[in-house]
Amino acid sequence: MQLSIRATAISAFALRLHALITLWSGEWMITLRQFESELDVRVTDILSRKKRRKLMYDDSDLAVSELYFFISQMLRFASEWIQESIDDLHALGKQIESKHFSPEAKKKDPEGSFLPDDPDAQTAVLDVFRQNWKSLTSTQRELADELLRRIKKMQEEVNSLREGLFTATAVSEATKSKQLNHYILVFTVVTIFYLPLSFVAALYALDLFSWDDPNQKVSFVVTLILVAGTTYGFAGYLVWFVRKPKRRQRLKNAKRVKSLGKLFKRQRKKDGSGSDIDSEDSDSDS
């Protein structure tokens, strides 16, 4: 009678777990729907320029990147927790079977065992327990597979949105960098334009020159023209040379060939001196 009550208690416990697993799956579904609402992107959102730009570009606080990171990490944790729940239920079944439904446990602790004394009845009770627990774990596995499938799909959506965000942000940053380079170029050109004037003016402002001399103004103008012309011409040549990648590559190749040629000549000289020494040694031996 006591064994029957214990077995009935285990069956009731399994039924209760079955109901809890259904509730567990429903709670996870509610949580995943909340995440899906944050990732819900429709065709109208892509067609609308305003909504599309919200998906493509982040604000100064990086709120969109933070949201995608948060959802991605929470989905990873959810997948791990669901898998741990499956493993825990399997481990619980093994623990109950080894403690209450195994012949070894009945020999060690007859009072704690749920098996009857009849060997045939023991096999029947153990089979019933295993079937009930297998049904329980199968139900959990089916529900968990659906949850994991939805989590995997959401992870792919998050990764797709993050890649689009990072790509658009990289293009935007590259465009801003290019514009900044144009501004720097304008500033550099203006600086180069006034640099010779400032240099010559500072030079002639020294006490070495006297502006009372009538020829001093002519000397100032000539010096200014020479310095400015040289500076502008040299700067223009550098700009022309640097803007041609092929010229830079040819220059690198020429330097490389020249260095290899020098190395080859040094090696030939070493080989020649070595051959001369060998010939002298052979002559002395003869």
Side-chain angles (χ1 to χ4, degrees):
M1 182 66 180
Q2 187 176 4
L3 294 177
S4 177
I5 294 175
R6 292 179 178 179
T8 303
I10 291 295
S11 300
F13 176 66
L15 290 175
R16 182 58 180 168
L17 285 179
H18 193 282
L20 290 176
I21 287 174
T22 305
L23 180 62
W24 167 80
S25 175
E27 293 294 332
W28 271 116
M29 283 293 183
I30 294 174
T31 303
L32 295 180
R33 289 194 190 99
Q34 292 178 353
F35 287 147
E36 287 177 347
S37 64
E38 296 292 339
L39 301 175
D40 187 17
V41 179
R42 302 179 181 180
V43 178
T44 54
D45 298 333
I46 303 301
L47 296 178
S48 174
R49 188 173 185 273
K50 183 178 180 180
K51 295 181 179 180
R52 183 173 65 247
R53 291 180 67 86
K54 287 183 178 180
L55 295 173
M56 292 176 58
Y57 302 107
D58 207 347
D59 54 10
S60 58
D61 295 333
L62 302 178
V64 180
S65 298
E66 183 180 359
L67 175 63
Y68 291 160
F69 176 80
F70 172 78
I71 295 177
S72 176
Q73 296 303 313
M74 291 305 298
L75 291 176
R76 181 175 64 85
F77 291 143
S79 179
E80 293 177 357
W81 293 339
I82 291 173
Q83 188 61 46
E84 288 177 0
S85 299
I86 297 173
D87 298 337
D88 291 341
L89 188 61
H90 278 283
L92 180 61
K94 295 293 184 182
Q95 183 179 0
I96 293 175
E97 180 179 344
S98 62
K99 189 174 182 180
H100 300 289
F101 289 95
S102 64
E104 293 80 6
K106 185 173 180 59
K107 293 178 182 179
K108 294 180 181 179
D109 185 14
E111 295 296 331
S113 177
F114 295 168
L115 294 178
D117 296 332
D118 186 5
D120 295 335
Q122 290 180 3
T123 304
V125 171
L126 181 59
D127 290 340
V128 170
F129 170 77
R130 287 178 176 176
Q131 290 177 2
N132 292 336
W133 206 264
K134 183 178 180 181
S135 175
L136 180 64
T137 54
S138 298
T139 301
Q140 187 194 29
R141 170 56 68 180
E142 292 177 359
L143 297 175
D145 288 342
E146 177 63 21
L147 293 174
L148 294 175
R149 185 189 64 80
R150 297 187 67 170
I151 289 175
K152 184 178 180 181
K153 181 180 178 182
M154 292 173 61
Q155 287 176 335
E156 293 176 353
E157 293 177 358
V158 172
N159 292 333
S160 176
L161 291 173
R162 291 183 68 185
E163 290 177 0
L165 176 64
F166 293 158
T167 302
T169 303
V171 173
S172 177
E173 293 297 331
T175 304
K176 292 179 181 179
S177 177
K178 188 176 181 180
Q179 293 177 352
L180 182 61
N181 290 335
H182 290 322
Y183 299 151
I184 294 175
L185 177 62
V186 173
F187 179 76
T188 304
V189 170
V190 173
T191 303
I192 293 176
F193 178 78
Y194 285 102
L195 182 62
L197 305 178
S198 302
F199 172 75
V200 175
L203 179 64
Y204 276 84
L206 299 176
D207 295 337
L208 300 176
F209 303 95
S210 176
W211 288 99
D212 296 334
D213 187 0
N215 296 326
Q216 194 67 37
K217 295 182 179 180
V218 177
S219 176
F220 175 79
V221 173
V222 172
T223 304
L224 178 61
I225 294 174
L226 291 176
V227 173
T230 303
T231 303
Y232 299 154
F234 185 69
Y237 170 76
L238 290 179
V239 171
W240 172 80
F241 182 78
V242 171
R243 287 178 63 87
K244 298 296 182 181
K246 292 183 179 180
R247 294 194 186 96
R248 296 198 302 270
Q249 188 63 34
R250 284 200 298 268
L251 181 60
K252 291 181 181 179
N253 294 336
K255 290 182 178 179
R256 189 178 304 170
V257 171
K258 188 176 180 180
S259 61
L260 291 176
K262 291 181 179 179
L263 180 62
F264 179 74
K265 289 180 180 179
R266 287 198 298 267
Q267 188 65 31
R268 286 294 300 272
K269 289 181 180 179
K270 291 181 181 179
D271 295 341
S273 60
S275 60
D276 294 339
I277 294 173
D278 294 338
S279 61
E280 291 177 359
D281 292 339
S282 61
D283 294 339
S284 61
D285 293 338
S286 61

